[in-house]
Amino acid sequence: MIARLRTGARDESGAAAIIFAMALVLLAPLTLGVFDVYIGANQRQKLQDALDAATLFAARSSAQTQEDINEVGQRALLANLTSYPGASLVSSSFVLDGPKVVASAEMKPMAVATGFFQHANVKAGAEALRAMDRLEVALVLDNTGSMSGTKLSTLKTAAKDLVDKLESAGKRSTAKDPIQISLVPFSSTVRVAENVSVTNYNTTTRTGPGIPSWLDSRALGHNAAGVDIFTTANTDRFAVLKSMKNNQVWGGCVESRRQPFDVQDTAPYSANNDSFFVPYFAPDEPDNTWNPNNYLNDGVSGNAWVRQGNVAKYNNATPNGGGPNNGCNLEPIMPLTTNMSNLKSAIDSMNANGTTNIAMGLVWGWHTISPNAPLANGVAYGTKNHRKIIILMTDGDNVDNALSNHNMSYYSGLGYIWQGLLGITSGNGTARRNVMNDRLSLLCENIKDKEIVLYTVRVEVKTGSSSLLRNCATDPDKFYDVQNVSQLGAAFDAIAGSIDNLRLTK
């Protein structure tokens, strides 16, 4: 018996099963615990994702009160939250904190290894900044002849889509009139008003229905320089229009101001005639084939300058083709507006004609959002929770053509080259372009000095350098070099996304 007991003591049969059974008692809870850790981490991520979405939704809502914000957030959280069986939402809250919505949530996760380990609740937090800034946005769009056809139709679609996206962004804001947009179509000039009749224009007071007070109809700055289009000093352009037959209408276009005001938003002031704007008046040019705007029969003999500057020939005259508004065929600018339907209708009405004066369009884009006259529709610079933005789009380089006639140029928003509005009185096309580019560069710097955000878009420009518009933009990522017009919509979409400042901050 003693021998058998000793043999049995040395027998190890079944030991592995016993060890496994003992290990299982220890390993099973550990394995389930690891599974619980995974489930808890996964549940926390689901809670965070749902809370982020709900916080953003609450911030974008029109809710104004604490109660309403919390209700909107709670509904969105429950709609977005997915959870494991047995998990439950313990608490959640959405709180208005100034311009922010601050949210928190706590959740009890599903647990498998209950009784073995302590299972902490998972928590998440989020903040969303409500879009409180009011935006003033100027759309400065190239309407030159090279834009005709597919380019212009694509531009119209892209611009209207941009308006829709900005309008949607505005609906997420609690501010009054959060988005205002202006439109400035440009070519060699800009049209600041619809056709204005001068039938009732008072030639003594130089006032009349629809005539802006910031216009200098006598072009006194030109007379001071001795380079007005009329040989008689202080000739009132509206009075000349009124004297004509069947042409008693100012088309609404203007000339560029003399330097340095051509690249400033300084309001016109009486001490300096150059600070005022001069109404566009394309004179009747002498009767020969070298003059593109010959609309009155003033004979072929005599000095060309005398015949061109003769005021008397307009009296009771009827234009035969062309006329004082020749080249003023643009859609008028639209000042800042909240009526997006009217704005999109104006975009649809744009037409392509004329050559390119980018600075002329850009400075009027600035005028539309400036607090200063001539329009004075923008809020004061530095106003809290306000941003001013200009989007400039062009498909060409600056142009002022050099002709071989006595004027050496076409009449445009820069007058004639010999009038010196460009800062030079002669020069070939390249020399003129270089000066125009220099004025544009200075204008861009002046705009950015006012902390206006400037986007520039260059579309299918095959000549020149992109550095001009790239440097013009607020920073390089706000310059878009669109190689094919079909990509214009994507560029405008990117700009809309950049402008929209509603974002998750945590």
Side-chain angles (χ1 to χ4, degrees):
M1 185 175 290
I2 291 173
R4 288 183 177 181
L5 288 174
R6 287 175 177 171
T7 301
R10 291 193 299 268
D11 188 1
E12 296 181 356
S13 299
I18 296 173
I19 293 172
F20 176 77
M22 295 177 64
L24 185 61
V25 173
L26 298 174
L27 290 175
L30 289 175
T31 302
L32 295 176
V34 170
F35 187 57
D36 278 353
V37 170
Y38 167 78
I39 291 176
N42 196 265
Q43 185 65 73
R44 187 194 179 286
Q45 187 60 54
K46 292 178 182 293
L47 179 62
Q48 185 67 63
D49 291 345
L51 189 65
D52 284 349
T55 306
L56 190 59
F57 185 81
R60 288 175 170 176
S61 73
S62 59
Q64 302 289 322
T65 66
Q66 175 58 61
E67 181 181 355
D68 289 343
I69 280 287
N70 189 59
E71 182 181 349
V72 171
Q74 298 289 359
R75 287 202 308 265
L77 176 61
L78 293 175
N80 285 281
L81 182 61
T82 58
S83 58
Y84 292 100
S88 60
L89 186 64
V90 176
S91 64
S92 58
S93 66
F94 296 83
V95 179
L96 272 176
D97 181 13
K100 297 185 295 184
V101 174
V102 180
S104 62
E106 183 175 348
M107 193 171 188
K108 180 180 179 181
M110 180 185 83
V112 178
T114 56
F116 290 99
F117 301 101
Q118 182 178 359
H119 293 77
N121 291 341
V122 295
K123 298 179 181 180
E127 291 182 7
L129 181 66
R130 305 196 86 182
M132 299 298 290
D133 283 356
R134 291 179 62 191
L135 303 181
E136 296 172 355
V137 181
L139 300 179
V140 181
L141 306 179
D142 190 329
N143 277 207
T144 54
S146 60
M147 285 293 297
S148 62
T150 301
K151 281 186 183 178
L152 187 61
S153 61
T154 303
L155 172 61
K156 290 178 180 181
T157 299
K160 288 186 294 182
D161 286 346
L162 175 67
V163 170
D164 287 338
K165 287 178 172 62
L166 294 179
E167 184 179 22
S168 296
K171 291 178 180 178
R172 300 195 298 267
S173 174
T174 58
K176 181 181 179 182
D177 297 333
I179 303 285
Q180 296 186 80
I181 306 176
S182 63
L183 174 67
V184 181
F186 74 92
S187 60
S188 63
T189 182
V190 294
R191 193 176 175 200
V192 300
E194 294 277 4
N195 289 339
V196 177
S197 172
V198 296
T199 303
N200 296 317
Y201 178 72
N202 188 316
T203 56
T204 301
T205 63
R206 291 180 294 281
T207 59
I211 303 296
S213 62
W214 39 265
L215 285 177
D216 174 17
S217 61
R218 295 180 294 171
L220 297 178
H222 294 358
N223 283 332
V227 288
D228 192 28
I229 55 177
F230 299 110
T231 54
T232 303
N234 300 333
T235 297
D236 187 332
R237 298 184 177 199
F238 290 144
V240 175
L241 279 174
K242 184 175 181 178
S243 73
M244 298 178 69
K245 276 186 178 181
N246 306 322
N247 198 65
Q248 298 174 322
V249 170
W250 169 51
C253 289
V254 291
E255 294 179 358
S256 173
R257 292 196 287 185
R258 285 195 174 274
Q259 298 179 11
F261 300 104
D262 61 321
V263 293
Q264 297 179 359
D265 75 329
T266 305
Y269 60 100
S270 59
N272 193 326
N273 293 326
D274 290 349
S275 68
F276 284 82
F277 295 86
V278 174
Y280 189 97
F281 191 106
D284 168 61
E285 296 170 343
D287 297 349
N288 63 54
T289 57
W290 294 103
N291 293 308
N293 193 31
N294 167 31
Y295 53 89
L296 298 178
N297 184 12
D298 57 1
V300 293
S301 62
N303 184 285
W305 293 103
V306 172
R307 285 185 284 124
Q308 181 171 289
N310 180 20
V311 177
K313 67 180 177 179
Y314 294 93
N315 188 38
N316 211 33
T318 301
N320 180 23
N325 294 307
N326 187 53
C328 182
N329 304 315
L330 295 159
E331 177 69 12
I333 68 172
M334 177 173 282
L336 286 173
T337 182
T338 58
N339 190 325
M340 303 307 169
S341 178
N342 286 352
L343 179 64
K344 289 188 287 186
S345 293
I347 291 172
D348 268 332
S349 298
M350 294 190 308
N351 62 91
N353 62 85
T355 55
T356 308
N357 184 344
I358 302 173
M360 187 93 182
L362 182 56
V363 76
W364 273 96
W366 186 7
H367 289 317
T368 64
I369 61 175
S370 170
N372 303 324
L375 302 180
N377 290 331
V379 299
Y381 294 120
T383 300
K384 187 178 181 181
N385 293 331
H386 280 74
R387 288 194 297 169
K388 296 177 185 287
I389 298 167
I390 298 177
I391 302 170
L392 167 66
M393 174 268 153
T394 182
D395 82 326
D397 297 318
N398 283 310
V399 175
D400 189 64
N401 291 307
L403 301 184
S404 58
N405 63 2
H406 66 289
N407 285 312
M408 298 180 289
S409 66
Y410 295 104
Y411 177 82
S412 69
L414 290 169
Y416 291 114
I417 187 66
W418 51 265
Q419 292 183 269
L421 290 176
L422 186 54
I424 57 175
T425 56
S426 63
N428 61 25
T430 300
R432 300 179 192 195
R433 177 180 294 114
N434 290 339
V435 175
M436 294 175 78
N437 289 348
D438 289 342
R439 300 309 292 173
L440 175 60
S441 295
L442 180 55
L443 172 60
C444 293
E445 293 306 312
N446 291 344
I447 288 173
K448 290 184 286 189
D449 283 346
K450 295 294 186 180
E451 297 187 351
I452 296 171
V453 179
L454 181 53
Y455 294 85
T456 58
V457 183
R458 189 174 187 254
V459 180
E460 289 189 355
V461 184
K462 306 302 182 184
T463 61
S465 170
S466 62
S467 61
L468 178 64
L469 288 184
R470 178 181 289 107
N471 294 335
C472 188
T474 296
D475 45 60
D477 69 354
K478 291 179 175 57
F479 166 68
Y480 296 82
D481 194 0
V482 178
Q483 295 298 309
N484 189 294
V485 71
S486 63
Q487 301 166 348
L488 181 60
F492 274 27
D493 284 348
I495 291 173
S498 175
I499 290 174
D500 187 359
N501 74 334
L502 182 62
R503 55 186 170 82
L504 277 175
T505 60
K506 286 187 180 179

